[in-house]
Amino acid sequence: MSVTSRLRTTPFSILDRSRTRQGRERSQALRDTVRFAQQAEALGYHRFWVSEHHSVPGVAGSAPTVLASAVAAATVRIRVGTGGVMLPNHRPLVVAEQFGVLESLFPGRIDMGLGRSVGFTDGIRRALGAEKDAARDFGDQLDELLGWFTGEQNAHPQVHAHPAEGLRLPVFVLATGAGADLAARAGLSLVIGDLRGRDEMLRAIDRYRAGFRPSAWSSAPYVVVSGNVAVAGTTEEARRLLLPEAWSMAHSRTHGVFPPLVPASEIETREMTEKERGFYERGLRGQLYGTEDEVAAALDELIERSDADEVLVTTSTYDREALLDSYRRLSRVAGLSGGMVAIGAR
């Protein structure tokens, strides 16, 4: 396998959504996330991020800053953060305080990744105290949040976010279209996907770079492309890794509930309605999978076209051993320092 110089110089990171699995307790998914972070560190990945979801049966990670603290405590070198905290669900002061605590406990290792999504259903949004259109206020919320760190917020005079005030940590905006423009205006790093809408993603990246304003947080644009990447001994084995997540997405689009992951063998024999099959097949299109050589070539093209500064891998599947083997193979593809580490090593 030939690893290009661009691949060797591009950091690779992981976003783990703490996906639940059929027949296993939700709490196990959280413990698996912490263990996975330790393995990711041993394999040489740059960052390990966790996500925020509420009232979703298929995801155990509902409190990302709490989980990030557990991950940071269990690791030594790898950067730890959120992908992301959904700002419309929280008061900016509380978010600033939480990240201020994290950065104080684990100085120089914490990333603040922020998203603008709201709850999955009307009931979840009401429980969170967020309206369906709350994302439209994301820009103002972002400005207030950053102001708590700089001490320049003026919405609440004589109020301070301790211990956040005066701290600086990397800030990322998770985005598709409009979010890229907000990241550019605020002078923040951009995390963008997904790989299935490649041309749209590239247009948003171009717009972000063109509109970027240097800030106290970042002097130049920084682009992280994110998506599923599956690597196995054969192309078909790699594709099978993507089936559980594709089925969960199809089920959520047709039944309104995002379920736990089920084995690929169960999905392959499942009878699907025409609507389910359509969402399922669309969920598999455009994903990046294959042998190590095939994935190396595909990643090389992706990085070249997007001029990405970093790649954030978001792959989930039912079989954890196969998933870990995929990340081990990917670390070798990318020339990471721990690429030859045994998968069970700490």
Side-chain angles (χ1 to χ4, degrees):
M1 178 186 65
S2 174
V3 178
T4 67
S5 59
R6 189 67 188 269
L7 272 175
R8 286 192 179 277
T9 57
T10 300
F12 275 70
S13 299
I14 295 173
L15 167 62
D16 185 58
R17 293 191 174 90
S18 302
R19 293 287 274 116
T20 60
R21 289 166 171 78
Q22 180 178 270
R24 302 177 189 175
E25 294 184 359
R26 291 188 181 93
S27 58
Q28 183 61 48
L30 298 173
R31 292 191 291 271
D32 286 343
T33 290
V34 175
R35 174 62 176 146
F36 184 23
Q38 295 172 325
Q39 292 162 325
E41 181 173 67
L43 288 171
Y45 284 92
H46 183 50
R47 309 179 202 273
F48 190 92
W49 284 2
V50 297
S51 64
E52 175 183 341
H53 295 273
H54 299 280
S55 191
V56 178
V59 182
S62 57
T65 53
V66 176
L67 185 53
S69 182
V71 168
T75 54
V76 178
R77 298 174 302 278
I78 196 168
R79 297 197 63 88
V80 177
T82 56
V85 165
M86 297 300 131
L87 202 49
N89 296 336
H90 309 279
R91 297 297 301 175
L93 169 62
V94 175
V95 176
E97 290 173 336
Q98 290 174 345
F99 277 94
V101 170
L102 281 170
E103 177 64 16
S104 298
L105 291 173
F106 308 101
R109 292 183 56 209
I110 300 300
D111 302 322
M112 184 165 64
L114 306 166
R116 58 199 294 266
S117 297
V118 294
F120 191 56
T121 66
D122 288 339
I124 296 171
R125 288 189 288 271
R126 285 194 297 270
L128 291 168
E131 302 296 331
K132 190 172 185 177
D133 58 357
R136 69 184 180 187
D137 298 324
F138 180 76
D140 292 337
Q141 292 176 312
L142 184 60
D143 289 342
E144 181 185 334
L145 173 60
L146 299 179
W148 289 115
F149 283 90
T150 62
E152 297 171 344
Q153 72 79 30
N154 52 26
H156 307 280
Q158 298 181 326
V159 181
H160 299 269
H162 299 305
E165 189 171 305
L167 296 179
R168 288 291 188 275
L169 63 162
V171 184
F172 299 79
V173 173
L174 280 64
T176 50
D181 300 323
L182 290 169
R185 178 186 63 79
L188 303 176
S189 299
L190 176 70
V191 181
I192 190 164
D194 63 49
L195 302 182
R196 288 168 292 190
R198 189 76 57 89
D199 291 338
E200 183 180 351
M201 180 186 76
L202 293 174
R203 285 192 295 270
I205 290 173
D206 288 342
R207 209 167 59 247
Y208 163 74
R209 288 199 174 103
F212 184 86
R213 302 177 185 174
S215 70
W217 305 93
S218 185
S219 60
Y222 190 89
V223 175
V224 183
V225 295
S226 67
N228 292 331
V229 181
V231 195
T234 68
T235 306
E236 184 55 35
E237 287 173 353
R239 184 179 184 276
R240 289 186 85 241
L241 290 175
L242 302 175
L243 302 188
E245 188 72 25
W247 167 247
S248 287
M249 290 296 296
H251 188 277
S252 71
R253 295 293 180 86
T254 52
H255 296 81
V257 176
F258 196 77
L261 297 170
V262 298
S265 57
E266 182 176 320
I267 297 165
E268 289 170 324
T269 59
R270 184 184 294 271
E271 291 187 9
M272 300 183 193
T273 66
E274 183 177 350
K275 190 174 183 180
E276 288 172 336
R277 177 66 63 178
F279 281 118
Y280 173 69
E281 294 294 344
R282 279 197 290 276
L284 291 170
R285 281 199 291 269
Q287 306 288 14
L288 222 162
Y289 65 88
T291 64
E292 292 179 34
D293 285 338
E294 290 169 337
V295 168
L299 283 170
D300 198 37
E301 180 188 8
L302 171 65
I303 294 169
E304 182 67 28
R305 288 190 66 193
S306 65
D307 196 24
D309 298 288
E310 187 173 335
V311 177
L312 179 69
V313 185
T314 61
T315 314
S316 299
T317 195
Y318 179 84
D319 186 335
R320 285 199 60 81
E321 289 304 314
L323 179 66
L324 291 170
D325 182 63
S326 175
Y327 276 104
R328 177 180 58 80
R329 290 174 181 271
L330 179 59
S331 72
R332 193 158 60 216
V333 165
L336 304 187
S337 60
M340 301 305 294
V341 175
I343 201 63
R346 167 62 179 94

